Amino acid sequence: MKSITKLLATSCLATMLAGTAHAQVVPVEALPDTNTQSTDDEDDAIVVTGTRIVRPNNKSAAPIATVTSAEIQAQGATTIEEVLNRLPQVAPNAEQNFAESNGRQRIKLRSLGFERTLTLVDGLRLGIQNGLDVGIIPATLVERIDVLSGGASSVYGSDAVSGVVNFILKKNFDGVELNGNYSFYNHQNRENAVTEAARRSFFQTPTGLTNDGGRMDVTLTAGKSMLDGRVNLTGFFSYRQSDLLPQGSRSWSACEVTQPTKDAALTCTRSQYTQVGTIIPGSGANAGRVLVNNPNGSGNLIPWGSVAGAAANPFDEFAAQREFNRINAGGFLNIDLSEAAEIYSTFLAYRDRSQNPTPLRIYPSGIYGATPYQVNCNNPYLSASQGQTLCGTAAGTNTLVPFNLLYRFDGLPPAYNRFENLGYRVTGGIRGKVLKAWNYDISGVYSANRGSLTYPAFPDETRLRQSLIVDSVGGVPTCRTGGSGCVPFNPFQPYNNNAAFADYVYQNVDGSEISKPSMWQVLGTVSGDLGEYGIKSPLADQGIAIAAGVEFRAERFISTADALFRQTNGGTDARFTQNVWEGNVEAQLPIVEDQSWTQLLQLNLGYRRSKYNRLDGAFDTWKVEGMWAPIDDVTFRGSINKAQAAPSLIQAVQASNINYVTVGSRNDPCATAPDPQNPGRFLAPTASIEACRATGLPDNLYGSQTLNCPDALCTIRNGGFELTPETAYTKTFGVVLRPRFLPGLTVSIDRFLIDLDDSISYFSAGDFVNGCVQTQNPYFCRGIVRNPGSFTLFSPAASNPATGFIIQGTSNGYKSDSHGWDFQSQYALNLNTAGRLDMSFNGTLMTSVGGQESPTVDPRQCVGYYGPFCGEGFPKWVHTLRTTWSTQDNVVNVSLNWRHQGPMTITFNAAADTGIPYGATDRRSTYNGIEAYDYFDLATTFNVAKRFTLRLAVNNLFDRDPPLIPNSRSELGLLRNNTVFRYDLLGRQIVAGATVRF
């Protein structure tokens, strides 16, 4: 086994230095000291990502992109998401900082979703599909990341539809290493259209240079080799944290901007939850008027939004970067008994805590039910003017009148949505080489995760109602009911931050929701080189190689919540399990090798049979791959894969587990909404009367103000769908060029075609609303479920309503696809005494990102588009180009990275042949696209005395702001604040790091 280890180290080092992305290798064991050399490669073997066959000189027939540890260090990344977001093959994501997410980091290749990307660690599953956070993987312990695009289900299982991401970890340390990084944002807040809109709405905006968003991580790794190197024990501990950076800290997100009508001037979204108190009379001449306490304290009620302070910014406190801290710990054990037996084990554990702040609020009475709040007309807190507005002729009497109240307490400590993810993953196994021709590997994985979301305090309804009915007793305001402990509240005083009242009303958190995914996996494989028995082509040096394996997985997902959560949000506990049996075989058939007319002609075959206990019958996946190198300089390669992917447990839970929210919602498109720029006036419905008729609305209610949802946020029902498996066909073919006249250059060009039937997809509420508004197709209009009688789209979540909501969730679609070209090249140029120059290019040209929800809906083509029906979009062209200069002694490295994102167009302006359902009347003249974006990152590394490494980096060197996208939340359904995640959101980032080895 020592000779195998030496070859693996040498091969991996050579691969990373030369950048041969077409043949990135995956070691079957830990990487030792990379200074080790070996010339004995005849009996040694390496394993390529995408196959279980173990043999020398193995090469991949599918395109693989690799991120090395040097790239990760140059970037100064704190999370794995940041590393992978730069790859053209990956659809960028930011779950760690996304305000509404649970904080788990997940990966999605080729814009095809998380569940179609299989995540491995050292060739074994990370855990239940997308149930375990990749944040369990410490970035500083990653040797490299292999990203295999296209299907790999016949090798790894039915989840590998769009590809595989394989994390190779550093192991077999001998010594102690301390690694630390610190980064912050150095950003110039500039004047822009958002700052202009914010001032018109009386909102403050940040200006000038700021340094904020600090992040740090420290990792200590220690290892010891014993018994002549046959035993190695390595352990690590890592701590990371980041500071809160609110969305309001950037001028481009000082407020959430919308265009109330097509091509109108930008206006800020304004909330009726105000710091001065929003009062809505429920009776009399002013019934239904949205009023606020005059911010100047004069004791009169004025129209909401009419002066500074009379409206609030609803999203300024939302996190652009979450406050979080994470602990990672683990260890690796390798015992090399003999060439026939090596025992290995890994242990990874983590705990991640993050939180998003939100101001304490008093919610409208509709949250609790139909009964409005009441106030007595002789309430001592009422001024004469306020009493007249609320009570009319009953002012000053003991009469109780209905009213509604919304209040935001900015002067009190905020409430928090708190997220905690913790878990562990244990692997163990034995592998070795026997009978000269055979390698075996028997391994097991157990992973478990626990994610909890604790919602902030929710006002106690009984105490709140008691605090609003107040009498003067001996000149002292006193609650009429509730006893001596009741704290009266004055809602008619602006900026009333009464801490005693908050302590009285906000008694408990709103409860916690907990998820517990776990997985057992047992895997056994055997690989043999039949050439040892003379079974080979007469024109090939190597014989036929085969591999066979059997796998069992037991998956479980438990969803629970405490009594407080159930009382407020409804729902029930759930427990889902799934067992999977799979068997697979592979064959590698070299047909021609080292002939004058062909250097290599090889065929690879694979087949897998899968049986899910939750599905009837079994299904098959397979692959056919081929490589042909007519000369050493040129290699053609291609593959065809078939995968029939079963719904993952997470998808099943998302589809069947029903819950209700208003987060990320929008108003009824058939209602006349308040004009944000002109309080007291109302805008026409955004939907036509024909579209509203298709939602079940009577014509006489079209444009009615009664359809408006509270704070323009209608109820959304998540879940309630039944899922069936999807079938995917993925094809890749390309060419690899290594011209001998230009040593050190490797170029690969690959075409990928991924086509899915019955595709399992996530449909947002916006997809149903926009689809119904534009097409009136019943497939989309079924997502709008109105209340009988009132025909509204709002129902209290706690009531588990059967009507009065917009649906969203995971469901089967009809067809979807992802097609494109990958271009990769690497060039290493030796400059002799002037050092060395390394260049690496990775680009993707998308030709199709399509979908068709049903046979009655036109096919849709989203390449180069973002917005309704296309989400955050995928540019036609994306690339990265890194150029690194190193001194001859490798003491100094300077690296410049160029990241390019192609332009995109809003879907309202889509061409007719795209199938995106918008017409000429929907076209935008302003904010109708995103121009091409270029980012430059500069990094330097200093290697001092082989024991110390210093790193300095600047990402987004020119501090470029992200593109401005109005209506990103309310109309486009992107759930972002004025932009999308594909771009650098927070400005120039400065990174400093150091590594010390003992």
Side-chain angles (χ1 to χ4, degrees), residues 420-438:
E420 181 179 78
N421 293 294
L422 54 88
Y424 62 94
R425 177 180 181 271
V426 182
T427 71
I430 183 171
R431 59 193 167 200
K433 187 172 185 179
V434 295
L435 303 177
K436 190 177 182 180
W438 297 91

Side-chain angles (χ1 to χ4, degrees), residues 512-529:
S512 296
E513 188 177 25
I514 300 168
S515 62
K516 300 178 181 178
S518 60
M519 182 200 75
W520 279 100
Q521 179 189 24
V522 179
L523 175 66
T525 60
V526 60
S527 171
D529 186 349

Side-chain angles (χ1 to χ4, degrees), residues 88-91 108-113 116 149-151 161-162 728-732 751-756 759 815-822 844-851 860-863 874-875:
Q89 294 82 3
V90 173
K108 48 183 179 180
L109 290 176
R110 304 299 188 193
S111 72
L112 288 175
R116 299 188 184 104
S149 298
V161 173
S162 59
Y729 292 93
T730 70
K731 297 174 280 292
T732 64
R751 175 70 162 157
F752 63 89
L753 303 165
I754 305 174
D755 297 282
L756 294 97
S759 58
K815 293 179 180 292
S816 61
D817 63 66
S818 181
H819 299 169
W821 293 86
D822 279 338
T844 294
L845 176 69
M846 297 299 297
T847 58
S848 178
V849 177
R860 185 177 64 255
Q861 181 53 254
C862 285
V863 171
F874 216 105

